[in-house]
Amino acid sequence: MKIGVLALQGAVAEHLKSISSAGAEGIAIKHIEQLSEVAGLIIPGGESTTIGKLMRKYGFIEAIREFSEQGKPIFGTCAGLIVLAKDIEGSEEPHLGLMNISVSRNAFGRQRESFETDLDIKGIEQPVRAVFIRAPLISQVGEGVEVLSEYQDEIVTAREGHLLASSFHPELTDDYRLHQYFVDMVKQQSM
């Protein structure tokens, strides 16, 4: 099974490694035509405004919306969560506008306030190591969205059907279980 990682910005190599650890084949997606080769897609962290501009420049907005309409799973991490959201607080228009969530950018502070913690995530047995870097948070969830984890009473992981989002960077640790969760979502969708 092949899972793509949008390779416009962010920790692409680390996501590819985690996908491989979870037993799937990862592909760096640089052109919209490559989306037809994969059964799932990860939108990594980086800077959401920059990612949004690059997605528009290279035709990814409509291509990823069509990918989603086919029911193919998408996982947004950190800035990728912002890119998926229907509402970005106090900010620009949404990018993809696919997931029924509102997000608050840089909610956990600036770069120097970055931190690591262990999170309980629904559907994963033991706590998952999570790295927060200028992380957003999910300030509100709409109908159909399941909260999978919280940190200090703030939502940091959620799922809506075939869409998964985390405020943190699961790819920056050796713990690939959230990627495994996503790979399992893709397998179920592909059946």
Side-chain angles (χ1 to χ4, degrees), residues 2-123:
K2 295 179 180 177
I3 293 178
V5 179
L6 188 63
L8 300 177
Q9 191 190 45
V12 176
E14 291 83 349
H15 275 294
L16 292 171
K17 182 178 175 232
S18 294
I19 290 167
S20 177
S21 295
E25 181 184 348
I27 297 176
I29 303 290
K30 297 180 181 178
H31 308 282
I32 56 173
E33 300 78 33
Q34 292 175 282
L35 289 172
S36 64
E37 301 172 32
V38 296
L41 179 68
I42 294 176
I43 303 172
E47 209 291 304
S48 60
T49 305
T50 302
I51 294 169
K53 284 178 183 169
L54 292 169
M55 287 172 71
R56 285 174 179 84
K57 181 177 179 179
Y58 297 111
F60 275 105
I61 297 288
E62 282 311 311
I64 293 173
R65 283 181 181 151
E66 287 171 20
F67 185 88
S68 178
E69 282 169 18
Q70 295 167 27
K72 292 184 177 181
I74 302 173
F75 179 16
T77 64
C78 197
L81 172 152
I82 297 169
V83 170
L84 280 178
K86 281 191 177 163
D87 180 58
I88 304 165
E89 288 183 0
S91 185
E92 72 269 26
E93 290 289 302
H95 300 290
L96 290 169
L98 293 173
M99 197 165 177
N100 197 8
I101 56 175
S102 294
V103 296
S104 175
R105 298 174 63 181
N106 299 331
F108 290 103
R110 304 195 88 41
Q111 195 82 22
R112 68 180 176 274
E113 281 108 26
S114 300
F115 64 95
E116 287 186 39
T117 189
D118 290 320
L119 282 180
D120 289 319
I121 299 178
K122 253 187 224 173

